[in-house]
Amino acid sequence: MSMEVFLREGRGVLLAYDQGLEHGPTDFDERNVDPSFIMKLAAAGRFNGVVFQKGLAEKYYERRVPLILKVNGKTNLVKGEPVARQICSVKRASELGAKAVGYTIYAGSAHESIMLEEFGRIQEQAHALKMAAIAWIYPRGEAIKNDTALEIVAYAARIGLEVGADAVKIKYTGDVESFRWAVKSAGKAKVFMSGGPKAPTEVDFLKQVRGALDAGATGLAVGRNVWQSSDPLKMARLLQRLVIENLSVEEALQN
Ligand code: FBP
């Protein structure tokens, strides 16, 4: 299924806002705790997609930016081997206007088979309704010692291709060369870099993004590095310059 609706010039910047479930409101401040703020930011910042869980989509989604509905999720209150089960149907995602469903697979978890099985079903249902299926593939659990190691990230990317994801969201390895192998391993599945916790500086983050793009990534799905920024719209503009206009970090920062 095509990811076209989420792309401009073949690239895309997706705004992720499912952290309220995954991490709780500790990620938020007075401003970004309000989902309306994020919806406005997604439109004003010209994001190519916005990621919500069902509850936020029902109450805040305004159809100005293509929606990716996360159909599974978990809290971070439970410890142990991670598993995130389906909590929204594909049919409901479609009714809410989603153009894609998102699903997290904790590869390497003792429970990965549950998520692989669920994703398989969800991907078929999504495609039948002409929606894309985006897999967040996060290697995690006792068996995973370093989730940004080259072979682990490349494996995550490949899992996405193998299970039929139209796009795969993976962590950056830290350098262009190793990430290139991950992108290659993903084949025709489009690769989106996962943002991660707020980087020490804006430039640090932009360099990661530039590295992922140079390695062949289609774009990124980012949350905290945008809406935790002191100037989220400025960060959105910088990402547009880098990702869509394909500028260097230095060029993007000029004027
Ligand atoms: P961030 O850019 O804020 O990292 O968001 C990307 C994301 O994949 C979210 O969709 C998700 O809530 C979060 O990261 C998961 O983070 P964690 O690595 O703690 O599970």
Side-chain angles (χ1 to χ4, degrees):
M1 191 55 53
S2 169
M3 284 288 292
E4 208 49 44
V5 66
F6 299 106
L7 307 178
R8 202 156 56 234
E9 309 291 336
R11 294 263 183 83
V13 189
L14 312 176
L15 187 62
Y17 190 66
D18 59 336
Q19 292 82 353
L21 177 63
E22 300 292 330
H23 302 154
T26 48
D27 274 3
F28 303 145
D29 61 20
E30 286 289 332
R31 189 175 55 165
N32 60 37
V33 71
D34 179 3
S36 308
F37 171 79
I38 302 294
M39 191 61 248
K40 287 194 185 78
L41 172 64
R46 303 192 72 209
F47 284 88
N48 305 97
V50 62
V51 182
F52 284 151
Q53 283 283 355
K54 176 171 79 175
L56 299 198
E58 286 178 343
K59 293 183 176 62
Y60 298 92
Y61 181 54
E62 290 173 11
R63 297 189 182 239
R64 288 188 284 167
V65 178
L67 173 66
I68 298 156
L69 207 295
K70 251 335 265 305
V71 294
N72 76 334
K74 67 167 191 53
T75 72
N76 70 4
L77 302 170
V78 180
K79 304 303 169 200
E81 290 294 289
V83 59
R85 299 291 304 250
Q86 183 174 11
I87 53 176
C88 175
S89 69
V90 176
K91 182 169 164 284
R92 184 69 186 131
S94 170
E95 287 165 3
L96 287 166
K99 296 286 183 277
V101 291
Y103 187 98
T104 303
I105 298 173
Y106 295 110
S109 160
H111 307 301
E112 72 164 24
S113 63
I114 294 172
M115 294 168 278
L116 289 170
E117 188 272 330
E118 269 191 2
F119 181 80
R121 190 161 30 78
I122 283 162
Q123 183 259 20
E124 290 169 21
Q125 292 169 352
H127 285 182
L129 291 171
K130 307 261 178 287
M131 283 188 283
I134 305 177
W136 277 226
I137 312 252
Y138 290 163
R140 201 164 290 179
E142 250 324 285
I144 307 296
K145 300 302 170 217
N146 177 3
D147 68 351
T148 55
L150 155 67
E151 65 277 15
I152 295 293
V153 177
Y155 202 167
R158 188 63 180 208
I159 293 168
L161 177 66
E162 301 281 347
V163 299
D166 301 294
V168 58
K169 184 165 183 257
I170 53 175
K171 285 195 174 175
Y172 189 50
T173 49
D175 70 277
V176 181
E177 273 323 303
S178 60
F179 205 67
R180 206 188 299 279
W181 178 238
V183 173
K184 214 168 180 102
S185 301
K188 288 185 180 175
K190 298 199 179 305
V191 171
F192 288 78
M193 183 194 105
S194 181
K198 193 150 175 285
T201 70
E202 213 168 57
V203 172
D204 288 329
F205 182 63
L206 295 175
K207 281 184 178 161
Q208 284 179 36
V209 175
R210 189 66 257 166
L213 295 169
D214 290 345
T218 294
L220 78 157
V222 55
R224 289 165 286 180
N225 275 286
V226 171
W227 43 254
Q228 286 180 351
S229 159
S230 56
D231 190 346
L233 263 183
K234 178 182 162 221
M235 184 49 110
R237 273 195 299 274
L238 288 170
L239 290 175
Q240 288 289 321
R241 285 182 191 153
L242 228 58
V243 181
I244 311 295
E245 295 173 37
N246 209 19
L247 300 180
S248 67
V249 173
E250 294 71 27
E251 287 166 335
L253 286 166
Q254 273 165 23
N255 63 63

